[in-house]
Amino acid sequence: MTENTQQQTAPTTELPTTYAPAEVEGPLYERWVERGYFEADAKSEKPPYTIVIPPPNVTGALHLGHAFQVTLMDALTRRKRMQGFETLWLPGVDHAGIATQNKVEQQLAEEGKSRHDLGRDEFVERVWQWKDEYGGRILGQLRRLGAGLDWSRERFTMDEGLSKAVQKIFKDLYEDGLIYRAERIINWCPRCLTAISDIEVEYQDDAGELVSIRYGEGDDSLVVATTRAETMLGDTAVAVHPDDERYRHLVGKQIKLPLTDRTIPVVADTHVDPEFGTGAVKVTPAHDPNDFEIGRRHELPSLTVMDEHGVITVHGPFLGLDRFEARSAIVGALKEQGRIVSEKRPYMHSVGHCSRCKTTVEPRLSMQWWVKVGPLAQAAGDAVRDGSVEIHPKELSRRYFDWVDNMHDWCISRQLWWGHRIPIWYGPEGQVVCVGPDEQPPGTEAEGWTQDPDVLDTWFSSGLWPFSTLGWPEKTPDLAKFYSTDVLLTGHDIIFFWVARMMMFGLYAMDGEVPFKTVALTGLVRDEFGKKMSKSNPNAVDPLDWMNAYGSDAVRFTLANGANPGADVPIGEDWVKASRNFANKIWNATRFALMNGATIEGPLPDASEMSATDRWILSRLNETVAQVDAYYEDFQFAKLSESLYHFAWDEVFAWYVELSKTTFFAGGEGAKVSGRVLGEVLDVMLRLLHPIVPFVTDTLWTTLTGGESLVIADWPKDSGFRDEAAEKEIELVQRVVTEVRRFRKEQGLQDAQKVPARLTLDGTPLVAHEAAIRQILRLQPEGEGFAATATLPVAGATVALDLSGTIDVAAERKRLAKDLAAAEKEKAQAEAKLGNEAFLAKAPDNVVDKIKGRLAKADEDIARIQSQLTALPQA
């Protein structure tokens, strides 16, 4: 079933009595790294398997979302490595322009300085110092989690090679007419003083105000509603729908804009919804993206009325006011003129905030650099349509197409100092020159040449990640061996921002070769009640706390066990505790097995030499191997984790080990056979579990087998062995044991309490399992004076129990009689309501269904209690 090619030493049965993750995990991980297990060889003839980690921010710390995705990527790469692939899982971090600059600016503020006090060059040097001292700590935390990354290939989006790649693709796109400079509406943060991407805008419901303002006079007036009264100073039109009869007489006319000496036209535009509000909207092209498009269609002027800090720059009375101060002042002035028709306060509406500093984002007309995405997005969409790239789960493909098929040009410039500076130089005569890698600037500052002050959006460089990390634009051995990458595993929340950009750039730079063959989309980690985890909420969890308390394996198994494709993942501490218990169970059961003869020495005995119990567990083992393989190929981590849990805990530990104890205790040839079978089962089971829970499994496996490490062991294969007859036979045993256990529990017997019993197993396959059944159920042989006071027919057998002296029969009858009376009363009440036609005519369906459920439950309780009474000894 397995082909272990490692150098083996004699196995030892020495294991500590308890598993201590804190003592095992750190040293074991360092041993893996020192031995080079995770380093990929570009010269290898093995087939490649490549994943590049979504680069966390250099400012970041490990959170459960990172831990979740890293666990799944680690599972994929560990399995592929065991399957014989030359596996590269490449690590690295993103320079995180805004976040990192903010960190250093905060440090400077504490010193009473700003970046302008230092100047650009000295400030950038200060950021590099911060990065060297504090940045990248998340990578150390990934080691703590057990991530099998190739640390010899660690990359940083600002390192020399990746910076060269950024400069190269910028020049290529520029020369192909796919990068241009233009004045457009962007998301602007008045605090960070830069354009920000859509993904860096967080929307939340804020309590604002909705004011309705009358523009114009008399019959030539109309009412517009706005939550941003301060922008009215920049209105250059009012728009109505062309089919709206209410305003047809106004289209083309000029109306007076309140508080100003300007008149503005009424224009007809299909963007306006005549059913919303008054059907008339103010148009401020310089401060709203939709208004900007209306302005372009109708050739309206764009008036900027706020500076980069959000301060009003026009119209005397409001000049110099902050945007929010101006809002109140303008509404007050409009009231004085009788222009306010209505006010709604508070008015809850969705408002964008900068994800870094939480400042309200301001749409702003600004001169920026843009990528013309049309042809690039077309190629990115076609790659999924023609099957070159598979999105998993498939139902999320629609969201991908919605994005790439309707993508707007991408603003790539940021008004920062930290990042890849735009490689454009402006000359004294208006020249514009793009400088590629290894090219010299066209002139000096003294000669009147200056470089564009902006840097590129962080997503620009991370969009190159699948190939720049492998050495592009150089034709490196890594690029030849490991591109295209196999799987991109990432959250569905950044499918638009990162996945689409990598698709566009990968297809463009790599001559149509896709950056990854499969996009496996995950959900988001939430708390156990399904709520989003946030630092501002008390439900935020530091995964390191859980790893310290319960071990990394416990956190990993909990995360994998909740990972259904594309679905959000709830997680709570009790679930991590349960996973810790699972790791302990694996440890204790393996320790028991080692002390009782489990071995991998020699070939497996022939099936004819095995007991039905042995054949059953091997049949179940092979079925589990097949299931796990199928689930991996479909990225069904939750199902494969559940399958492994069920096999290990329920079938191996709860049934096979328990059923085999009598064989082990008896010794002889049967014990040797079962010992070899148990060794095989543990060997394969630990291999299957290893990608999810690597630490405890590697420790146990090396002890069991004497092998070097599970990291480089062979992945199990389904041998095809199945034994339906043995499976049916053990199913009968399980039915007997389960039924008797249930009866014992109902009678209040303790698990360890022994009860005399007569087992009538003749004529059934159960006869071979009598010793095991008695061992598990604590059933003593019938002795002198045995009297069957309870008889249980099950699975073609009869189990007669002598309960005399074990329970207070009279007290038990009294208790059960009371329970029976309560159940019969519940049944009568439910039947009475369901028999009442007047009640049924008025009651909602859900109420009727609930009463039907109560009736069914009462019937079940009555049958169960009557069965218990019948089984009790006669007084």
Side-chain angles (χ1 to χ4, degrees):
M1 198 172 305
T2 58
E3 299 174 5
N4 184 12
T5 58
Q6 298 183 64
Q7 182 68 37
Q8 293 187 347
T9 59
T12 174
T13 59
E14 294 181 4
L15 279 173
T17 55
T18 57
Y19 177 51
E23 297 175 10
V24 169
E25 293 176 350
L28 181 55
Y29 185 84
E30 292 308 314
R31 187 154 64 248
W32 292 337
V33 173
E34 288 167 6
R35 293 178 178 178
Y37 292 158
F38 305 134
E39 294 182 15
D41 182 3
K43 298 178 182 178
S44 168
E45 294 184 0
K46 295 179 182 179
Y49 184 82
T50 314
I51 293 180
V52 291
I53 195 170
N57 286 351
V58 69
T59 60
L62 187 69
H63 58 66
L64 279 172
H66 291 133
F68 170 54
Q69 292 182 358
V70 166
T71 292
L72 303 189
M73 285 184 276
D74 196 32
L76 291 173
T77 52
R78 284 179 182 270
R79 173 174 175 262
K80 286 296 183 180
R81 189 178 293 111
M82 294 172 75
Q83 287 182 314
F85 287 79
E86 193 60 40
T87 302
L88 171 60
W89 186 21
L90 193 146
V93 291
D94 190 283
H95 64 279
I98 296 176
T100 309
Q101 179 158 320
N102 279 349
K103 288 280 187 183
V104 178
E105 288 195 272
Q106 288 167 10
Q107 282 189 343
L108 291 174
E110 292 172 2
E111 301 170 14
K113 299 177 182 177
S114 74
R115 61 181 163 126
H116 301 286
D117 294 323
L118 273 63
R120 183 166 192 148
D121 291 342
E122 189 176 343
F123 176 78
V124 170
E125 179 60 32
R126 180 75 175 257
V127 180
W128 277 108
Q129 293 173 7
W130 181 93
K131 183 261 180 186
D132 292 340
E133 185 173 356
Y134 301 106
R137 64 176 173 146
I138 189 172
L139 297 180
Q141 294 167 337
L142 296 184
R143 291 172 176 258
R144 179 74 176 82
L145 189 64
L149 290 151
D150 185 348
W151 297 108
S152 69
R153 287 176 166 86
E154 180 184 334
R155 303 306 298 267
F156 177 54
T157 50
M158 288 279 286
D159 68 29
E160 183 179 354
L162 270 66
S163 295
K164 183 177 181 180
V166 168
Q167 204 170 352
K168 164 69 173 168
I169 200 166
F170 185 99
K171 181 163 185 178
D172 289 348
L173 290 164
Y174 180 80
E175 292 185 342
D176 285 345
L178 295 174
I179 284 183
Y180 64 94
R181 194 171 185 236
E183 196 174 40
R184 299 277 180 81
I185 290 283
I186 45 88
N187 300 311
W188 180 265
C189 176
R191 157 62 182 80
C192 299
L193 298 179
T194 180
I196 59 177
S197 67
D198 290 341
I199 198 172
E200 291 162 328
V201 179
E202 294 180 347
Y203 288 89
Q204 66 185 45
D205 285 340
D206 285 358
E209 59 181 347
L210 180 68
V211 293
S212 296
I213 309 167
R214 183 173 298 281
Y215 285 22
E217 306 294 341
D219 293 338
D220 290 345
S221 68
L222 39 67
V223 175
V224 300
T226 182
T227 58
R228 303 174 68 221
E230 67 279 9
T231 64
M232 68 166 292
L233 300 176
D235 287 358
T236 56
V238 172
V240 297
H241 194 276
D243 298 331
D244 194 332
E245 293 291 341
R246 293 172 295 176
Y247 305 116
R248 188 181 294 274
H249 68 289
L250 289 177
V251 174
K253 288 188 176 183
Q254 296 280 327
I255 61 173
K256 181 76 165 48
L257 178 65
L259 304 183
T260 73
D261 57 2
R262 292 191 291 117
T263 60
I264 57 176
V266 177
V267 299
D269 196 281
T270 54
H271 171 75
V272 179
D273 179 2
E275 303 298 323
F276 183 76
T278 65
V281 296
K282 58 192 289 298
V283 181
T284 320
H287 293 279
D288 183 275
N290 293 321
D291 293 3
F292 178 78
E293 296 301 326
I294 294 175
R296 292 178 65 178
R297 287 193 288 272
H298 297 276
E299 299 182 347
L300 300 173
S302 295
L303 301 181
T304 299
V305 297
M306 274 181 267
D307 67 12
E308 59 187 8
H309 297 279
V311 173
I312 301 298
T313 58
V314 297
H315 204 70
F318 312 110
L319 182 65
L321 292 180
D322 170 81
R323 52 185 168 155
F324 301 117
E325 296 172 334
R327 181 177 300 173
S328 298
I330 288 171
V331 170
L334 289 168
K335 283 182 180 178
E336 291 180 4
Q337 292 187 5
R339 293 283 177 179
I340 299 296
V341 176
S342 66
E343 292 181 85
K344 186 175 182 181
R345 187 186 298 114
Y347 177 72
M348 302 302 297
H349 62 131
S350 182
V351 177
H353 295 260
C354 174
S355 63
R356 303 300 175 192
C357 67
K358 310 309 176 186
T359 300
T360 300
V361 169
E362 190 66 41
R364 186 169 189 262
L365 186 63
S366 179
M367 182 66 75
Q368 302 285 345
W369 285 94
W370 302 81
V371 171
K372 185 179 180 181
V373 300
L376 301 174
Q378 177 69 43
D382 290 345
V384 175
R385 289 188 176 93
D386 67 20
S388 300
V389 176
E390 178 188 0
I391 292 181
H392 190 90
K394 285 187 176 180
E395 53 266 27
L396 290 181
S397 298
R398 182 180 300 174
R399 294 179 59 186
Y400 175 79
F401 291 131
D402 285 345
W403 179 253
V404 297
D405 292 347
N406 299 284
M407 193 182 296
H408 299 295
D409 285 0
W410 169 22
C411 176
I412 56 172
S413 46
R414 299 292 180 265
Q415 290 64 55
L416 304 170
W417 286 356
W418 171 245
H420 296 102
R421 194 163 176 181
I422 289 175
I424 293 288
W425 289 74
Y426 305 106
E429 304 299 326
Q431 305 99 314
V432 179
V433 177
C434 183
V435 178
D438 304 322
E439 296 178 353
Q440 295 299 315
T444 65
E445 286 190 22
E447 297 168 334
W449 287 87
T450 58
Q451 186 176 1
D452 193 294
D454 290 351
V455 301
L456 288 163
D457 178 11
T458 296
W459 296 99
F460 190 94
S461 52
S462 61
L464 315 182
W465 191 251
F467 53 93
S468 64
T469 53
L470 298 174
W472 186 90
E474 305 300 328
K475 294 182 178 180
T476 64
D478 275 4
L479 194 64
K481 176 74 174 180
F482 296 112
Y483 190 89
S484 299
T485 67
D486 287 87
V487 176
L488 172 73
L489 191 145
T490 189
H492 62 63
D493 55 325
I494 60 172
I495 184 173
F496 315 131
F497 308 100
W498 191 44
V499 176
R501 283 153 173 70
M502 286 189 289
M503 287 282 281
M504 293 191 300
F505 282 171
L507 291 164
Y508 174 81
M510 299 300 294
D511 299 322
E513 192 174 358
V514 296
F516 26 73
K517 301 175 184 73
T518 301
V519 179
L521 296 170
T522 69
L524 308 178
V525 178
R526 298 183 178 274
D527 71 14
E528 59 193 301
F529 305 107
K531 295 181 180 179
K532 182 180 179 181
M533 287 191 175
S534 169
K535 292 180 180 179
S536 60
N537 292 333
N539 65 351
V541 173
D542 184 344
L544 291 172
D545 291 341
W546 281 354
M547 284 191 276
N548 291 334
Y550 309 114
S552 297
D553 283 335
V555 174
R556 291 170 61 111
F557 190 80
T558 306
L559 291 166
N561 203 31
N564 291 296
D568 289 348
V569 183
I571 185 171
E573 188 167 7
D574 286 345
W575 304 344
V576 182
K577 290 179 182 178
S579 296
R580 184 269 316 273
N581 295 342
F582 179 48
N584 288 342
K585 185 72 172 180
I586 299 171
W587 181 273
N588 294 332
T590 304
R591 186 170 177 273
F592 167 85
L594 289 168
M595 292 190 297
N596 286 276
T599 180
I600 64 161
E601 294 180 5
L604 271 175
D606 188 79
S608 62
E609 301 175 49
M610 298 179 190
S611 68
T613 307
D614 294 332
R615 297 194 305 276
W616 164 74
I617 197 61
L618 289 177
S619 183
R620 294 300 308 134
L621 176 66
N622 279 284
E623 180 62 30
T624 301
V625 171
Q627 279 183 351
V628 169
D629 277 334
Y631 288 144
Y632 263 115
E633 296 306 314
D634 200 32
F635 303 98
Q636 297 278 1
F637 294 98
K639 289 183 178 179
L640 74 88
S641 299
E642 184 62 28
S643 178
L644 288 169
Y645 179 92
H646 171 70
F647 177 73
W649 192 299
D650 296 341
E651 297 186 316
V652 178
F653 305 147
W655 286 109
Y656 181 73
V657 169
E658 292 300 317
L659 289 171
S660 301
K661 280 182 178 178
T662 53
T663 303
F664 287 129
F665 296 161
E669 203 58 37
K672 290 181 180 179
V673 171
S674 292
R676 180 64 187 89
V677 170
L678 181 54
E680 181 76 7
V681 170
L682 291 175
D683 177 15
V684 174
M685 183 192 76
L686 291 170
R687 293 172 193 253
L688 292 174
L689 281 164
H690 175 73
I692 303 294
V693 285
F695 293 108
V696 68
T697 52
D698 196 56
T699 304
L700 293 173
W701 185 85
T702 53
T703 303
L704 170 70
T705 68
E708 184 180 341
S709 174
L710 263 179
V711 178
I712 54 172
D714 294 328
W715 182 254
K717 296 178 181 178
D718 175 9
S719 71
F721 177 82
R722 301 290 192 279
D723 193 324
E724 291 186 17
E727 292 200 35
K728 290 180 180 178
E729 185 171 326
I730 300 305
E731 184 182 341
L732 293 178
V733 176
Q734 291 172 329
R735 285 174 59 191
V736 170
V737 171
T738 301
E739 180 63 21
V740 176
R741 276 178 172 164
R742 182 191 64 77
F743 178 76
R744 288 178 59 114
K745 184 176 181 180
E746 289 173 348
Q747 303 307 316
L749 298 177
Q750 298 298 314
D751 290 342
Q753 193 170 353
K754 295 181 178 180
V755 178
R758 177 189 299 135
L759 274 61
T760 306
L761 309 175
D762 297 342
T764 75
L766 293 167
V767 67
H769 303 279
E770 179 170 354
I773 292 172
R774 286 187 178 276
Q775 167 75 22
I776 294 171
L777 293 171
R778 305 292 191 271
L779 301 180
Q780 293 178 318
E782 54 184 300
E784 186 176 344
F786 175 84
T789 57
T791 302
L792 302 175
V794 57
T798 302
V799 180
L801 304 171
D802 183 354
L803 300 179
S804 58
T806 60
I807 60 173
D808 184 337
V809 176
E812 185 65 12
R813 281 190 177 279
K814 185 176 181 181
R815 183 186 69 81
L816 290 173
K818 183 178 178 181
D819 290 347
L820 180 60
E824 289 173 337
K825 181 179 179 182
E826 175 72 5
K827 177 180 180 179
Q829 290 175 341
E831 287 179 334
K833 286 190 175 182
L834 293 174
N836 186 335
E837 295 295 336
F839 170 78
L840 293 176
K842 296 179 181 179
D845 290 343
N846 65 318
V847 173
V848 175
D849 289 342
K850 186 175 181 180
I851 294 171
K852 288 179 178 178
R854 285 169 49 192
L855 177 59
K857 176 67 166 53
D859 282 333
E860 290 176 8
D861 290 344
I862 290 169
R864 175 180 55 80
I865 296 167
Q866 287 176 337
S867 175
Q868 291 176 244
L869 284 167
T870 302
L872 280 174
Q874 297 300 312

